Amino acid sequence: MPYLKIMKQTMRGITKSNMSSKKENRKQLNNQGFTLLELLVAIVVLCIVSIPLLHAFVTTAKTNGKAKIMMHATDAAENLIENFEYQSLDDLQVRYQASDQNTVTLDATGKYTFEIRNTADIPTKLPDGYYMTVTADPNLYPNANSLNLADIKTMSSSESAVYTMPAQYDTGVYEMFEQWNREAYEGDPTSYVDMDTAYFRENLNRLIEVTIDKVKTDKNDVGEDVDIVRVNLKITYELKNYKGIVPVSRKKYVSTELEMFNNLASKQALSNIYILYKPRYYAAIYGKGDNITVNNVQNVKANLFVIAQNGAADEELRTQYLSASNGLRLTVVETPVSAGFPENTKGALTLFTNLNDGTPYSSKSTEKGKVLCFLTYRNSAGSLKATSDYATSILNARGIDGKALNPDQTKIRIYKTITTVYDTEDNKVVELDGTKLE
């Protein structure tokens, strides 16, 4: 009995196991995969999702490319603005006209237009065919440009060489020559003629000579290169027609010899040279004008101020002086970087003076008020020289109020600058604006 019961239970377990296995087999036989319709639906869904993603990738690539070009264009515009900020418009005109691919124009209103296509002149790498323009327009600042802007700096001894002539400076010199004449006359009345002080006041020539001597170039406390210079001044009186008046040994007298400036210790660059002198109006009326020579053969850059000091007692003589043809002979001697004096030659010194009375220099005109100064710019070799308006241009000469001596050389001081980058189809890529002081 127990044996039969066990056998029945075993057979029942086997039967259940077989039935379970058959059910699993039927389930596997019914797993037939995706249908064609399901596959098509899946592909459509994938396309719908992928197209925007692909478009986003393409758009991102294009945007990155444009951003890269915009970055290069902005860098180029900023670099060009810096170039224009620290160089004169005249120098920039010469620089960019050196290439046939660039054009520079200046219209009647004083507006400059630079079109820069030569890749060597574009400060940052741009795609081929891209170009840049810069306009410098003074007409956008009418109020500021109508002002009389001064260029005179503070007279600081650390950066300026200053000489101021005393009011009665000449008196002692005239009396000294008179004493020499009296001694010669008393010693030999047959060979010398007795003269009074007025004679020497009318006939003595006076030469004021300034020499700028560059010793070396050195570093200052912040590591900048500074020209170490000495500026010396010498004043000499000479009686050219001395025979019968004074001995040859006493025809010439050096009244002053001094060092005006020396920056060997301070290493602060020379900025200004001031010569404040008393014009010899009385001597000029009689044909003996003043002579000032500035020797700057090493081309040290500085501002040169030649300023006549007029007192109330001089007014009557000054009126006669203005109508005479004898005034200051101012000569600047430098070493031009090129032979001759082409139009783009500029002197290392910039001249400021109150001697022009608002009119141009002229070595020919005798009209009242115009012949006040004969200006000469000379090669240190002595073989070449420029005079009158030509010398004025080389020295960038101006009145002490900031105006140029010659009206057609007057610079309008503030420019509105607009710098633009264009692509190959003349589309504007970027535009920056600013101002420029000239």
Side-chain angles (χ1 to χ4, degrees):
M1 182 63 182
Y3 174 78
L4 291 174
K5 187 175 180 179
I6 292 171
M7 288 294 292
K8 287 180 180 179
Q9 290 176 348
T10 301
M11 291 300 292
R12 192 180 295 116
I14 294 172
T15 302
K16 287 182 179 180
S17 175
N18 289 336
M19 290 177 67
S20 174
S21 176
K22 288 179 180 179
K23 288 181 180 180
E24 289 295 326
N25 288 336
R26 282 198 297 269
K27 287 182 180 180
Q28 291 179 1
L29 291 174
N30 290 334
N31 187 9
Q32 297 177 356
F34 293 107
T35 65
L36 177 61
L37 180 60
E38 290 173 334
L39 182 61
L40 292 174
V41 170
I43 292 173
V44 170
V45 171
L46 180 62
C47 290
I48 292 173
V49 173
S50 299
I51 289 173
L53 289 175
L54 291 173
H55 184 268
F57 285 132
V58 172
T59 301
T60 301
K62 289 182 178 179
T63 302
N64 288 340
K66 289 181 178 179
K68 187 176 182 180
I69 292 175
M70 180 68 73
M71 180 182 68
H72 285 307
T74 303
D75 287 344
E78 290 176 346
N79 290 338
L80 200 60
I81 285 175
E82 292 181 2
N83 288 341
F84 272 69
E85 180 69 25
Y86 297 109
Q87 297 184 59
S88 71
L89 289 172
D90 287 342
D91 291 341
L92 289 164
Q93 187 173 7
V94 172
R95 171 184 172 182
Y96 288 112
Q97 280 181 332
S99 171
D100 294 336
Q101 295 173 282
N102 304 327
T103 58
V104 183
T105 58
L106 174 62
D107 66 20
T109 67
K111 178 182 176 181
Y112 286 83
T113 302
F114 297 78
E115 186 173 298
I116 305 168
R117 292 181 178 271
N118 182 22
T119 54
D121 291 324
I122 296 176
T124 300
K125 179 65 177 175
L126 291 173
D128 292 339
Y130 278 58
Y131 66 97
M132 307 179 71
T133 65
V134 181
T135 60
D137 192 349
N139 304 296
L140 300 179
Y141 291 99
N143 294 331
N145 287 330
S146 65
L147 298 177
N148 219 7
L149 302 180
D151 287 324
I152 297 179
K153 292 186 176 182
T154 302
M155 294 174 64
S156 168
S157 60
S158 62
E159 64 176 14
S160 300
V162 182
Y163 174 74
T164 304
M165 183 175 286
Q168 303 300 321
Y169 181 84
D170 297 306
T171 303
V173 175
Y174 301 147
E175 292 175 351
M176 183 186 64
F177 271 89
E178 182 184 14
Q179 179 63 33
W180 288 346
N181 167 254
R182 183 173 297 109
E183 291 174 358
Y185 173 74
E186 292 175 351
D188 188 358
T190 59
S191 300
Y192 294 94
V193 179
D194 190 13
M195 296 295 183
D196 59 9
T197 303
Y199 175 83
F200 297 100
R201 185 172 60 173
E202 296 167 10
N203 289 279
L204 279 173
N205 288 292
R206 182 173 70 183
L207 171 63
I208 302 173
E209 186 174 13
V210 177
T211 300
I212 306 168
D213 182 25
K214 178 180 173 180
V215 178
K216 62 180 178 177
T217 300
D218 205 347
K219 299 285 187 183
N220 62 12
D221 294 339
V222 295
E224 298 171 333
D225 286 338
V226 175
D227 287 337
I228 304 301
V229 299
R230 293 188 180 95
V231 182
N232 296 300
L233 176 137
K234 182 169 72 173
I235 302 178
T236 304
Y237 289 81
E238 183 179 7
L239 188 66
K240 291 190 175 181
N241 298 321
Y242 67 91
K243 291 184 178 180
I245 309 299
V246 294
V248 64
S249 60
R250 290 185 169 179
K251 71 171 186 175
K252 186 183 293 187
Y253 172 66
V254 177
S255 62
T256 300
E257 197 163 10
L258 56 85
E259 184 178 79
M260 298 171 64
F261 182 84
N262 185 334
N263 63 344
L264 183 61
S266 70
K267 295 182 181 178
Q268 186 164 344
L270 173 67
S271 180
N272 307 304
I273 300 171
Y274 293 91
I275 304 172
L276 293 86
Y277 78 107
K278 292 286 293 182
R280 297 168 65 237
Y281 295 126
Y282 195 87
I285 294 170
Y286 289 91
K288 298 294 186 294
D290 288 318
N291 295 273
I292 298 179
T293 298
V294 181
N295 297 304
N296 186 32
V297 298
Q298 292 162 299
N299 297 339
V300 176
K301 289 188 176 296
N303 296 316
L304 172 63
F305 294 86
V306 179
I307 303 172
Q309 303 178 88
N310 301 316
D314 299 320
E315 276 307 311
E316 182 179 350
L317 292 174
R318 184 173 183 272
T319 301
Q320 298 178 62
Y321 169 72
L322 293 179
S323 63
S325 59
N326 300 288
L328 174 70
R329 266 72 173 172
L330 174 59
T331 302
V332 175
V333 183
E334 294 184 345
T335 304
V337 293
S338 58
F341 299 93
E343 292 183 1
N344 61 345
T345 296
K346 292 295 181 184
L349 295 176
T350 299
L351 172 65
F352 296 82
T353 182
N354 64 347
L355 291 169
N356 64 304
D357 247 17
T359 56
Y361 286 131
S362 173
S363 59
K364 297 179 181 179
S365 172
T366 56
E367 184 179 344
K368 180 179 178 180
K370 286 194 175 181
V371 183
L372 301 181
C373 182
F374 300 94
L375 178 60
T376 302
Y377 184 86
R378 197 175 74 218
N379 188 336
S380 57
S383 58
L384 300 169
K385 69 178 181 178
T387 59
S388 209
D389 293 343
Y390 203 4
T392 300
S393 175
I394 293 172
L395 286 168
N396 191 24
R398 303 180 184 182
I400 58 172
D401 59 359
K403 288 184 177 180
L405 294 178
N406 203 335
D408 63 5
Q409 295 164 357
T410 300
K411 298 290 185 184
I412 297 175
R413 307 301 304 288
I414 304 177
Y415 290 81
K416 175 78 169 182
T417 59
I418 299 175
T419 304
T420 311
V421 179
Y422 293 93
D423 64 16
T424 56
E425 298 179 353
D426 300 329
N427 297 314
K428 187 184 300 182
V429 179
V430 68
E431 182 174 275
L432 303 178
D433 60 36
T435 59
K436 174 176 174 56
L437 297 180
E438 179 76 3

